[in-house]
Amino acid sequence: MTTTDLAPTRTLAIQQELDQARAKGPLQHIVIPPCPELLTRLQKAMAAGEPDLNEVARIASSDVAMSATLLRSANGPLYASGQPVQSIGQAMNRLGLTDTAAILTGFLAQNAIRITSPQLQGFWERATKRALAMAFIAKRLPGMSPDLAYTYGLFCHVGLPVMMQSVKGYVGTMVEAQARVDRSYVATENANHRTDHAVVGALVARVWRLSPSLMAAIRLHHDLAALGDRFTEPEVHTLVAAGLLADHLLRLQEGLPPEKEWTVYGAKALAWLQISADELAVWEDEVMEMLEIG
């Protein structure tokens, strides 16, 4: 959730693309829900050199439902140990600051972008699972931020519900895109609406002032042929590759066959992440167990 990016080569180009499409192009009529004030405060608190624990606690305590979500997570099977926690402070101590911020971010995002369409039933539940899988991967990769990874997993496909709310005929596009085998999902979106959920999701990240690297990774998460190119920041490639792996692990946990993107680009993603076949086999078992517990 940091907002710094030192060498925004591809990222800067994506920012300019979004701004132009927002000003005069196909994004003019896309309605982006405003970033929750509490999320803006949380981002500011976490971005400080030494995160403001008291401010995070105040944010967590400011909404009864959000407090209950934090306590429920701290007492859940992923974290529970010993006596149940009874207060926000105890919950934060058990979860740790990074996981606390991730859970609060997820709660605020879900309440800002509500799902009303049956076509997207279970969207946020699956996004949370993807976020957990991303954090699992990040904790095993040197230099990858679990916080950033979790947030990317949560927001990766956020363009879908935003398009559902803003774009006339998008339900039909979803049905068509899922059924077609002659072109990709985003190709069908672009054919029908001159934009796609990757672009719209990146716009959400830009409007909400999320990490520029996260914004760029959302924009590129279906542009897998470019994975590893020299024009894109390594952190962005790592998020995209880890996201592809996380979605693959989710499908395994759900008993579904691999998606075409994994079949075509999975080996490339693993090579970028420097994950061996033996490591992947172990991770598959560990992630499946974690998601079933969660």
Side-chain angles (χ1 to χ4, degrees), residues 1-2 8 34 45-46 68 107-108 120 130 135 140 151 166-168 185 202 204 208 223 225 229 287:
M1 293 187 298
T2 60
M46 293 297 293
F107 177 89
L108 292 166
L120 289 175
R130 183 186 304 107
R140 285 152 182 81
T151 308
S166 295
V167 178
K168 186 177 180 180
Y185 196 103
V204 174
W208 284 25
D223 190 14
D229 73 48
V287 170

Side-chain angles (χ1 to χ4, degrees), residues 71 74-75 83-96:
L71 289 167
N75 288 318
Q83 294 296 316
V85 299
Q86 304 290 338
S87 69
I88 291 300
Q90 291 173 345
M92 288 176 62
N93 285 335
R94 178 171 289 179
L95 294 166

Side-chain angles (χ1 to χ4, degrees), residues 73-137:
S73 297
N75 288 318
L78 280 176
Y79 298 96
S81 60
Q83 294 296 316
V85 299
Q86 304 290 338
S87 69
I88 291 300
Q90 291 173 345
M92 288 176 62
N93 285 335
R94 178 171 289 179
L95 294 166
L97 184 59
T98 296
D99 286 4
T100 295
I103 291 165
L104 297 180
T105 298
F107 177 89
L108 292 166
Q110 290 182 51
N111 280 273
I113 304 175
R114 295 186 177 273
I115 304 299
T116 57
S117 170
Q119 283 79 10
L120 289 175
Q121 186 175 10
F123 175 86
W124 283 117
E125 289 83 354
R126 197 168 199 279
T128 300
K129 283 187 174 185
R130 183 186 304 107
L132 288 169
M134 284 289 296
F136 171 94
I137 293 167

Side-chain angles (χ1 to χ4, degrees), residues 194-206:
R194 296 173 53 228
T195 192
D196 59 63
H197 73 276
V199 174
V200 173
L203 180 62
V204 174
R206 178 135 173 82

Side-chain angles (χ1 to χ4, degrees), residues 37-95:
E37 180 186 355
L38 289 176
L39 183 55
T40 301
R41 283 174 55 188
L42 180 63
Q43 290 169 331
K44 185 177 179 181
M46 293 297 293
E50 290 188 11
D52 188 339
L53 298 177
N54 291 328
E55 172 68 350
V56 175
R58 284 192 292 269
I59 293 166
S61 303
S62 64
D63 182 280
V64 173
M66 186 160 58
S67 298
T69 298
L70 202 65
L71 289 167
R72 187 165 57 249
S73 297
N75 288 318
L78 280 176
Y79 298 96
S81 60
Q83 294 296 316
V85 299
Q86 304 290 338
S87 69
I88 291 300
Q90 291 173 345
M92 288 176 62
N93 285 335
R94 178 171 289 179
L95 294 166

